[in-house]
Amino acid sequence: MGTSASATSQAAPFAPTHQADHQGNGMAEHRRFLQSVNIRNSKAKSIITNKVAPVVITKNCREEFQIHDKIQSANYSMGRISDLLPEHYLVLGEFFMVQDVYNRADVLNTTKSHGSPNFRKVKGNYPLFGMGQPSLSGFKQVLQRLQIDGCEEVIFICLREEPVVFFRSDGDFIPYTPRGRENLHENLHDLDRELSAEQIELSIRKELCDFAKLSENMFYVYNDIEHFKDEPQQVQILSEEDIHVTEEVYKRPLFSQPLHRYYRLPLPMEGAPLEETFDAFVNILRETPNLSLMRDSSRPLPALLFSCQVGVGRTNLGLILGALVFHRLQGASKNPRYLLNCQYNFNYCLLSQRRVDDAVAMCSEMHNIKNAVYENKLKLEGIGEDYQIQGSSTKGYFLQRTLQSLERYVYLLIFNAYLHDQYPQAFPQNFSQWLCMNAWIYRLLASMDSSELSAPASLITDGIRVLVSSEFLATDLLSTAKEMKVANFRRVSKMALYGMAQPNSEALAVVMSYLTDQRRGHSTILWLNLQEELVLEANGQMFTPREPGCLEQPIPVCVQHPQQLQEMELALKQDVLRCEKWLEVITEQDKQMRMFKTCHTIEELFVHQKSIHPGLSYQRIPMSDCCAPKEEVFDHLLEAMKSSLAENPKCAFIFNCHNGKDRTTAAMVIATLTLWHINGFPECEEDEIVSVPDAKYTKGEFEVVMQVVRVLPDGHRVKREVDVALDVVSETMTPMHYHLREIIISTYRQIKMAKSEADAQWLRLRSLQYLERYIYLILFNCYLHLEKKDSWRRSFSQWMYQVAARAGVYAILNHLGFSEFENPDDSPMARLRFRWLPHSVQSIPMRGQLI
């Protein structure tokens, strides 16, 4: 009876860009097909054709095969690098296979002597080795070299995130990587976060075998991408055995060395690794008894061997991680454990930096991570006039490289602090968990933004930034400008709480007269300005600097103290007055050219009003727009209110931001909750019945919100009080149609109607920020309840880091999202690390893409 052998080809896992159709029929087609499935002619006696599939009868007439291995060539793409080169099949629908390492990359000239490019041992006595990508024979040579050097136990860690496959060549297997036509020198990154590099390599091998079957067992690869001499080269592929994936190259030789182990730890080309990558490295430490503090000290340390493509950037990072581990094992610190519960331990921070700098110096033969920060910053500062000519792209590139270098170095400091804390305890927490327990570190990282490196505000006089008027930014939705001379002026019912947009000197005088008149009679007033961007009054009109392409987006200025904002505004004022030329400004009507005769800072406006109204106090508490206030912002607002109420229980509070909408409303809710805790809560009515679709989301009952509510003591009541405060404040601004809770779901629903992917990601970020702000208000109200007995001596920041963090609040916020509708982890903005960074429309990563 005949045997049917089926191996039907499946569609390519990546969508092709160009379709190729190779159809045939008859005996010639069947013979070509027979050749493609590697049935040797010596075995086939005859081929019987039919409409289904060819039947092969062997020469001894004992076996009969009907082969159903039809490859669907239409599933694959074809292309060429240039019109002068042949067309052929493309890997993953669009990529060419290029030889991985070019000769000039081997700076240390170690390929022949050691088996791999740039093979080296770090300075000192630690068994730490790094190298570039070897071939199969080269890797065996490396292992032999380590064995000769007395390394009994070797832990080899491949740091490559890009797929690599190895073609058989002259008794060896040579590495090749898929690359795009636009940049044949650059490997692929961020291909598919749902697939590992190993899975992608297997898909590539499957495709390569199919391509060979369709092309007489041959496939085109490229070795010389500089001059393309004799390119492309043909490699023969008869079966999967002619192609190795990375795991096969590195694991198979280890069978003869039982103490050797292999891991793949993908590291990014630039910037710091993700927390999960550090977790994976910690798991390697956990799985290695000889790297434990309880290890047998009579045994030699295991050798750590790190490898990337050329053995420089990522290998250097791996070597530093290994050096930090060996520092811990060798007792580099006399104290066994350093607790990081207090983020203000300056001596500890200095110690951590010294240890990291020692490790960086040990591993600096080919690359110095710390020096890279300064080198990139010098390049950034040296752009100067070139920036003005070419625009922001050149400057943006070096700015990103500077921040990525700095981020990588800072994460080494953080990871070393983690080792100090967790190594003596055998790592009860992984790195991700530990960071959530010390979430203040994410706040610190978020302050490491581009503000101190980017163009200063004084570039207004050079045309790099423009001045935008308050009238352009603050639409008067409440129609108060006519009477109060300021947009969106309002008061919370039955409370001495007011909000508005940024007033100029005229509006400030009108508002103060209104608040101190006989009817209202406020003798003590605390004015809180929430703007973190620079603001000036010029010729009686309020202006703020903005980027020409993002007029609606504030430019936050990262400062340690609000007084620095005043100093920067004073410098901007002097710069504007000194320039004595016409400047472009954006007003409510259009672009205009203005020459300013008078210019004042906000501080100067309030100093003048205080001379008229001695009961006026002014504070600047910078708050970011459209997102949850930082923990210390809650601290500053609460402390300012407590101090003012201690002097006069009837003190009035006024809040303003640039348009009197987002930040002003959030601060008014915080003030409302604070006053209720001090003066008593109003009677809360039963939950109202909301007759709209998905009413629970309008009421803020998202899964992640309810998860937090379940954690908090009396969480449902705490949330209900916040909802009442939101409703009370919202009643003062009905024409705005703006509600801090209801805007969450309304913004999220707009994602489906976005005109572009960039707009969709911006809306997704905004909806997450609104959701997080709502959760923070609930947390703040819980804090007010629990700490009231001690008169809130412990700040909200301390309570969040010492109490809420241990209850898992930051762990919840680190996976923030709308799990009712999608997987939160699909967006990098679900993470604290990325969501807390300063963002503009241009800086939002695409869905599924990591920064």
Side-chain angles (χ1 to χ4, degrees):
M1 185 174 183
T3 302
S4 177
S6 176
T8 304
S9 173
Q10 297 180 1
F14 293 83
T17 54
H18 305 285
Q19 302 300 331
D21 187 13
H22 293 263
Q23 300 294 332
N25 50 52
M27 189 65 180
E29 171 68 14
H30 285 315
R31 286 193 180 277
R32 186 162 64 87
F33 172 71
L34 182 67
Q35 182 186 29
S36 74
V37 295
N38 299 318
I39 301 295
R40 296 180 181 177
N41 292 331
S42 61
K43 189 174 182 179
K45 175 179 176 61
S46 61
I47 304 171
I48 303 173
T49 63
N50 58 50
K51 294 182 179 180
V52 179
V55 177
V56 179
I57 301 176
T58 60
K59 286 191 174 182
N60 56 17
C61 299
R62 291 183 179 180
E63 294 179 280
E64 176 183 316
F65 298 94
Q66 187 173 31
I67 304 173
H68 300 273
D69 195 22
K70 184 67 174 178
I71 299 172
Q72 299 296 325
S73 59
N75 290 327
Y76 296 121
S77 307
M78 297 190 74
R80 54 166 58 100
I81 289 179
S82 72
D83 294 337
L84 301 177
L85 297 176
E87 185 180 52
H88 54 81
Y89 288 103
L90 302 180
V91 171
L92 305 181
E94 56 181 315
F95 302 117
F96 301 86
M97 296 304 298
V98 179
Q99 187 168 323
D100 188 39
V101 182
Y102 55 95
N103 294 332
R104 287 181 296 171
D106 186 12
V107 177
L108 301 183
N109 197 25
T110 59
T111 301
K112 291 184 178 179
S113 59
H114 292 76
S116 69
N118 300 318
F119 181 89
R120 64 197 182 277
K121 181 180 181 294
V122 303
K123 303 170 188 176
N125 299 320
Y126 292 154
L128 269 174
F129 302 87
M131 66 179 183
Q133 177 66 60
S135 65
L136 175 58
S137 297
F139 181 58
K140 293 178 180 179
Q141 186 179 347
V142 168
L143 294 181
Q144 292 171 358
R145 181 82 185 191
L146 292 176
Q147 190 174 12
I148 293 173
D149 291 344
C151 299
E152 300 177 1
E153 182 180 2
V154 177
I155 299 174
F156 173 56
I157 303 176
C158 174
L159 304 174
R160 307 193 66 171
E161 64 174 342
E162 64 272 22
V164 185
V165 295
F166 299 74
F167 289 104
R168 187 191 298 274
S169 176
D170 298 329
D172 197 0
F173 281 85
I174 308 300
Y176 285 78
T177 55
R179 300 181 188 176
R181 180 169 56 183
E182 293 75 17
N183 194 345
L184 292 171
H185 294 272
E186 185 174 325
N187 287 318
L188 306 181
H189 306 285
D190 301 320
L191 263 179
D192 191 331
R193 288 292 173 182
E194 295 182 359
L195 295 176
S196 65
E198 290 86 353
Q199 291 173 312
I200 297 176
E201 288 173 359
L202 291 173
S203 296
I204 291 174
R205 179 162 69 178
K206 174 64 172 60
E207 285 191 357
L208 291 171
C209 289
D210 287 351
F211 296 159
K213 292 174 184 178
L214 293 167
S215 307
E216 299 181 353
N217 296 327
M218 305 300 291
F219 182 73
Y220 287 113
V221 298
Y222 295 83
N223 296 339
D224 179 10
I225 55 175
E226 294 288 342
H227 308 290
F228 292 96
K229 184 179 180 180
D230 300 326
E231 298 295 337
Q233 304 284 325
Q234 284 189 327
V235 294
Q236 187 178 45
I237 303 174
L238 297 176
S239 69
E240 288 191 355
E241 295 178 2
D242 293 320
I243 307 170
H244 282 359
V245 295
T246 302
E247 190 175 34
E248 292 170 334
V249 169
Y250 290 141
K251 276 192 173 181
R252 287 177 177 176
L254 303 185
F255 276 88
S256 60
Q257 303 289 341
L259 291 181
H260 293 4
R261 281 182 292 138
Y262 161 74
Y263 297 93
R264 190 157 187 171
L265 188 72
L267 294 185
M269 291 288 292
E270 306 291 343
L274 294 175
E275 287 78 358
E276 302 94 285
T277 305
F278 285 104
D279 292 343
F281 182 69
V282 171
N283 286 336
I284 296 174
L285 304 182
R286 287 171 173 159
E287 295 172 3
T288 309
N290 206 13
L291 289 177
S292 165
L293 292 182
M294 305 301 293
R295 61 182 293 272
D296 183 357
S297 58
S298 64
R299 291 183 57 193
L301 287 168
L304 296 182
L305 174 60
F306 296 92
S307 172
C308 62
Q309 182 188 9
V310 295
V312 182
R314 290 174 287 183
T315 294
N316 184 251
L317 178 57
L319 290 172
I320 296 172
L321 293 176
L324 294 176
V325 169
F326 285 144
H327 274 329
R328 300 273 61 76
L329 289 174
Q330 296 291 349
S333 171
K334 296 181 181 179
N335 296 324
R337 186 182 177 203
Y338 288 80
L339 295 176
L340 202 63
N341 290 335
C342 178
Q343 59 265 41
Y344 306 107
N345 191 333
F346 182 69
N347 292 329
Y348 169 79
C349 294
L350 288 179
L351 176 66
S352 177
Q353 184 171 3
R354 283 200 300 270
R355 297 298 177 231
V356 172
D357 289 345
D358 289 345
V360 169
M362 289 175 56
C363 310
S364 62
E365 181 177 358
M366 294 201 68
H367 180 68
N368 189 302
I369 285 180
K370 191 173 182 180
N371 288 348
V373 180
Y374 299 109
E375 291 169 2
N376 285 316
K377 190 172 188 297
L378 286 174
K379 292 176 182 177
L380 176 65
E381 294 171 347
I383 292 174
E385 295 298 323
D386 182 57
Y387 168 54
Q388 298 181 35
I389 296 171
Q390 297 186 15
S392 62
S393 59
T394 305
K395 189 177 184 69
Y397 170 79
F398 285 108
L399 176 59
Q400 184 182 28
R401 291 294 298 270
T402 304
L403 291 174
Q404 287 173 333
S405 302
L406 182 59
E407 181 193 48
R408 180 171 283 193
Y409 177 71
V410 171
Y411 258 85
L412 287 172
L413 295 174
I414 296 169
F415 185 70
N416 189 48
Y418 166 78
L419 292 177
H420 273 291
D421 188 46
Q422 294 290 300
Y423 219 139
Q425 307 175 71
F427 304 107
Q429 293 178 328
N430 61 32
F431 186 66
S432 300
Q433 295 168 331
W434 181 84
L435 267 179
C436 284
M437 293 292 291
N438 295 277
W440 62 269
I441 295 175
Y442 282 124
R443 290 293 186 197
L444 184 65
L445 289 169
S447 67
M448 188 188 68
D449 68 352
S450 60
S451 60
E452 60 179 307
L453 300 171
S454 59
S458 60
L459 287 178
I460 287 171
T461 57
D462 297 323
I464 303 303
R465 289 177 176 166
V466 297
L467 289 173
V468 181
S469 71
S470 295
E471 290 83 358
F472 177 85
L473 298 172
T475 304
D476 187 22
L477 297 172
L478 301 186
S479 302
T480 61
K482 184 175 182 179
E483 179 182 358
M484 302 300 299
K485 306 302 179 183
V486 65
N488 302 321
F489 181 85
R490 62 197 186 276
R491 175 192 177 188
V492 177
S493 177
K494 302 178 181 179
M495 302 180 73
L497 290 178
Y498 301 85
M500 70 190 76
Q502 175 62 56
N504 59 12
S505 55
E506 179 187 9
L508 184 56
V510 171
V511 170
M512 288 305 301
S513 297
Y514 173 85
L515 295 176
T516 57
D517 65 11
Q518 191 172 10
R519 180 179 177 185
R520 275 150 291 270
H522 295 302
S523 59
T524 305
I525 299 170
L526 174 61
W527 195 302
L528 296 166
N529 186 342
L530 307 170
Q531 296 189 85
E532 62 176 352
E533 60 271 26
L534 302 183
V535 186
L536 283 179
E537 183 189 62
N539 289 1
Q541 197 171 7
M542 303 306 299
F543 290 95
T544 183
R546 296 290 170 97
E547 298 287 354
C550 302
L551 297 179
E552 301 289 341
Q553 185 73 19
I555 302 175
V557 181
C558 188
V559 295
Q560 298 298 320
H561 192 275
Q563 185 60 32
Q564 293 174 267
L565 279 174
Q566 163 64 10
E567 295 170 359
M568 296 176 73
E569 287 173 345
L570 190 60
L572 176 59
K573 165 192 169 181
Q574 295 170 351
D575 190 47
V576 169
L577 291 176
R578 263 199 314 264
C579 76
E580 296 183 349
K581 66 179 183 180
W582 295 87
L583 299 176
E584 182 182 54
V585 300
I586 309 295
T587 66
E588 187 178 14
Q589 291 80 22
D590 52 15
K591 294 182 181 179
Q592 298 180 6
M593 299 302 294
R594 298 270 187 92
M595 181 178 288
F596 296 114
K597 300 296 184 181
T598 63
C599 199
H600 301 94
T601 67
I602 298 179
E603 183 89 12
E604 291 171 342
L605 299 184
F606 278 93
V607 167
H608 175 69
Q609 281 299 317
K610 192 169 183 178
S611 65
I612 303 172
H613 304 280
L616 172 65
S617 298
Y618 170 78
Q619 287 191 34
R620 186 88 169 255
I621 301 181
M623 182 187 295
S624 297
D625 197 29
C626 297
C627 60
K630 299 174 184 177
E631 289 82 357
E632 59 265 28
V633 171
F634 286 94
D635 296 341
H636 297 327
L637 288 173
L638 179 59
E639 187 58 36
M641 293 187 67
K642 284 169 55 182
S643 300
S644 297
L645 291 170
E647 294 181 7
N648 185 350
K650 296 184 178 180
C651 177
F653 299 94
I654 308 176
F655 303 90
N656 84 270
C657 60
H658 71 289
N659 63 1
K661 187 176 179 181
D662 188 90
R663 290 173 283 187
T664 296
T665 305
M668 292 173 75
V669 173
I670 293 170
T672 298
L673 291 170
T674 302
L675 290 177
W676 283 354
H677 277 275
I678 294 174
N679 301 326
F681 278 80
E683 292 186 8
C684 293
E685 301 177 357
E686 295 294 327
D687 289 347
E688 61 176 320
I689 299 175
V690 182
S691 57
V692 296
D694 296 328
K696 67 176 184 177
Y697 303 131
T698 304
K699 295 163 63 176
E701 295 176 359
F702 299 95
E703 289 182 8
V704 67
V705 172
M706 302 316 295
Q707 187 179 358
V708 173
V709 167
R710 288 192 294 271
V711 171
L712 302 178
D714 206 3
H716 289 278
R717 187 189 70 167
V718 170
K719 176 184 179 299
R720 187 162 56 250
E721 290 169 352
V722 171
D723 289 335
V724 173
L726 290 171
D727 294 339
V728 168
V729 174
S730 179
E731 288 176 359
T732 69
M733 45 194 291
T734 303
M736 279 190 180
H737 301 288
Y738 186 81
H739 193 293
L740 289 186
R741 184 187 65 240
E742 295 173 1
I743 196 175
I744 301 171
I745 188 62
S746 65
T747 302
Y748 181 81
R749 285 171 176 159
Q750 293 176 40
I751 295 174
K752 293 182 179 179
M753 298 177 287
K755 296 180 180 179
S756 66
E757 179 65 14
D759 289 344
Q761 296 310 320
W762 181 252
L763 289 168
R764 177 170 279 105
L765 170 64
R766 277 288 180 250
S767 60
L768 288 172
Q769 290 174 325
Y770 294 147
L771 179 64
E772 183 176 40
R773 178 173 60 188
Y774 180 52
I775 292 173
Y776 260 80
L777 291 173
I778 295 172
L779 290 168
F780 180 67
N781 191 36
C782 181
Y783 156 80
L784 292 175
H785 275 289
L786 297 179
E787 297 294 314
K788 185 176 181 178
K789 60 183 182 295
D790 294 325
S791 300
W792 303 296
R793 280 197 293 269
R794 175 160 54 182
S795 69
F796 179 66
S797 297
Q798 293 171 329
W799 181 83
M800 284 289 289
Y801 298 138
Q802 297 171 6
V803 179
R806 299 191 178 280
V809 167
Y810 285 111
I812 296 173
L813 293 174
N814 202 36
H815 295 277
L816 187 69
F818 301 91
S819 54
E820 303 90 339
F821 313 117
E822 60 185 17
N823 181 5
D825 293 333
D826 286 346
S827 171
M829 294 303 142
R831 302 166 180 254
L832 296 173
R833 173 176 175 175
F834 300 119
R835 192 173 63 253
W836 284 0
L837 291 173
H839 291 290
S840 65
V841 178
Q842 292 84 359
S843 70
I844 303 299
M846 295 297 104
R847 187 172 176 79
Q849 181 186 21
L850 296 177
I851 299 175

